Amino acid sequence: MLDAVKLLRELQERISDSQFNWNGGDYERLLFTEVKGLLHIEFYGEPWRETFADFIKLVCVPDIASKIGALFFRSPDEGANGTNNWDFSKLIESEITFPNLKILFVEPYQLDWHNHPIIAEGLEEAGMIGKLITKMPNLQSMTIPNAPDASFFKMRRQSLSYLRVESGYDHQNFILNFSRSLCFPNLVVLDFSDYNEQYVDDYPAACTPFEYYVELFRSQAFASIRRFVLRNSVLSETELAKLHGLRKDITFRFVKSYGDYVYVK
């Protein structure tokens, strides 16, 4: 553990020495602490900068990767063309795994942000999330800012108990794919944010249809769920009530978090 801490501290010092300012708290930083013999690590920075590449290279060092219990990725509201892209290609291409990683958190979108965080190479998710978690065989909790494609459901994840997924620019039939899978037999909490790009013409047509939610609630894949949080759905109150009627034994929360910018000239 001493070698891992030493290497992390060296990178921490390099990051803190570069482009530092106190303006709004948006300076890049690396935070870590030891919790029950494992490392809880948080990277705060812009994913296209060299510091992010240096961080990914560092966590792929075997002596560090084997000691990580939690990985958090956060960023200031910066990006290109409205997008803040976390590209984990280098991590995926490495031969390293994270055998003790329990928590993966990539910060979701906040309504007052200009840029939407996504996990992708370019603007396409293209299976990156599924490839990413194959590196994390004992993951228990995952929060991601955009929906994975169907390849995400081709693996069995016995350990996962908490999953929060935002749709991002495309829900990729997440609810339907989940309902037809047997990947997460021990999942207790599912938190899903539907497509919510309200600036797009006729955006409700791109949202998850009611029939997909019905299939989810009736599926074997949903049997282990005890708490379901649904955000930003266009379902009516009648449809929400019908869904809850299918599984009255669970806690079902519907969260409205609509928002858009008003430009004042």
Side-chain angles (χ1 to χ4, degrees), residues 91-154:
L91 190 153
I92 291 169
E93 292 166 2
S94 74
E95 296 181 359
I96 205 70
T97 60
F98 300 85
N100 293 306
L101 187 67
K102 312 298 182 188
I103 302 172
L104 175 66
F105 178 94
V106 183
E107 189 172 22
Y109 176 70
Q110 307 296 323
L111 284 178
D112 60 338
W113 284 358
H114 294 83
N115 297 282
H116 203 302
I118 60 172
I119 298 172
E121 185 175 4
L123 292 176
E124 299 296 329
E125 188 271 336
M128 179 173 285
I129 295 170
K131 294 173 184 175
L132 184 63
I133 67 167
T134 61
K135 302 282 188 175
M136 307 163 182
N138 294 303
L139 200 63
Q140 296 178 6
S141 172
M142 181 166 67
T143 298
I144 49 178
N146 57 307
D149 71 5
S151 65
F152 180 79
F153 300 94
K154 294 180 179 178

Side-chain angles (χ1 to χ4, degrees), residues 1-250:
M1 182 67 78
L2 290 176
D3 288 342
V5 169
K6 180 177 180 293
L7 291 170
L8 285 166
R9 186 161 291 138
E10 288 174 354
L11 178 58
Q12 185 182 59
E13 291 173 355
R14 292 203 304 274
I15 291 174
S16 67
D17 288 340
S18 65
Q19 300 182 343
F20 179 80
N21 67 76
W22 291 105
N23 182 22
D26 280 348
Y27 50 87
E28 289 191 308
R29 54 194 179 269
L30 173 62
L31 308 175
F32 61 92
T33 187
E34 185 178 346
V35 181
K36 294 188 179 296
L38 294 175
L39 291 166
H40 175 117
I41 305 176
E42 298 192 22
F43 175 85
Y44 182 91
E46 296 163 345
W48 61 89
R49 290 193 181 276
E50 185 178 350
T51 47
F52 174 66
D54 290 343
F55 176 69
I56 293 299
K57 184 183 297 185
L58 185 61
V59 297
C60 289
V61 173
D63 188 53
I64 295 178
S66 63
K67 295 177 175 63
I68 300 176
L71 269 177
F72 281 65
F73 295 89
R74 306 179 191 273
S75 179
D77 182 26
E78 299 290 344
N81 300 319
T83 301
N84 193 12
N85 180 28
W86 294 98
D87 185 345
F88 291 105
S89 297
K90 296 300 182 183
L91 190 153
I92 291 169
E93 292 166 2
S94 74
E95 296 181 359
I96 205 70
T97 60
F98 300 85
N100 293 306
L101 187 67
K102 312 298 182 188
I103 302 172
L104 175 66
F105 178 94
V106 183
E107 189 172 22
Y109 176 70
Q110 307 296 323
L111 284 178
D112 60 338
W113 284 358
H114 294 83
N115 297 282
H116 203 302
I118 60 172
I119 298 172
E121 185 175 4
L123 292 176
E124 299 296 329
E125 188 271 336
M128 179 173 285
I129 295 170
K131 294 173 184 175
L132 184 63
I133 67 167
T134 61
K135 302 282 188 175
M136 307 163 182
N138 294 303
L139 200 63
Q140 296 178 6
S141 172
M142 181 166 67
T143 298
I144 49 178
N146 57 307
D149 71 5
S151 65
F152 180 79
F153 300 94
K154 294 180 179 178
M155 64 203 77
R156 192 168 177 85
R157 309 294 302 185
Q158 296 280 359
S159 57
L160 203 67
S161 61
Y162 176 92
L163 178 60
R164 178 175 175 182
V165 175
E166 290 206 342
S167 286
Y169 297 138
D170 184 355
H171 62 66
Q172 299 212 85
N173 289 327
F174 176 84
I175 291 297
L176 184 64
N177 290 334
F178 186 100
S179 68
R180 296 177 178 179
S181 74
L182 294 174
C183 299
F184 310 109
N186 297 312
L187 195 68
V188 176
V189 178
L190 178 61
D191 187 322
F192 175 71
S193 300
D194 208 345
Y195 180 79
N196 194 33
E197 304 300 302
Q198 296 190 29
Y199 58 87
V200 176
D201 292 340
D202 196 25
Y203 93 93
C207 296
T208 304
F210 173 64
E211 292 76 16
Y212 289 6
Y213 288 109
V214 171
E215 185 165 341
L216 173 72
F217 270 62
R218 288 175 172 169
S219 69
Q220 181 60 36
F222 202 64
S224 64
I225 300 298
R226 292 295 171 262
R227 184 169 186 260
F228 179 55
V229 181
L230 177 59
R231 304 173 191 265
N232 306 328
S233 174
V234 295
L235 297 184
S236 68
E237 291 187 8
T238 300
E239 290 171 328
L240 291 168
K242 286 181 180 179
L243 285 181
H244 198 197
L246 296 175
R247 282 291 307 274
K248 289 186 176 181
D249 60 313
I250 69 171

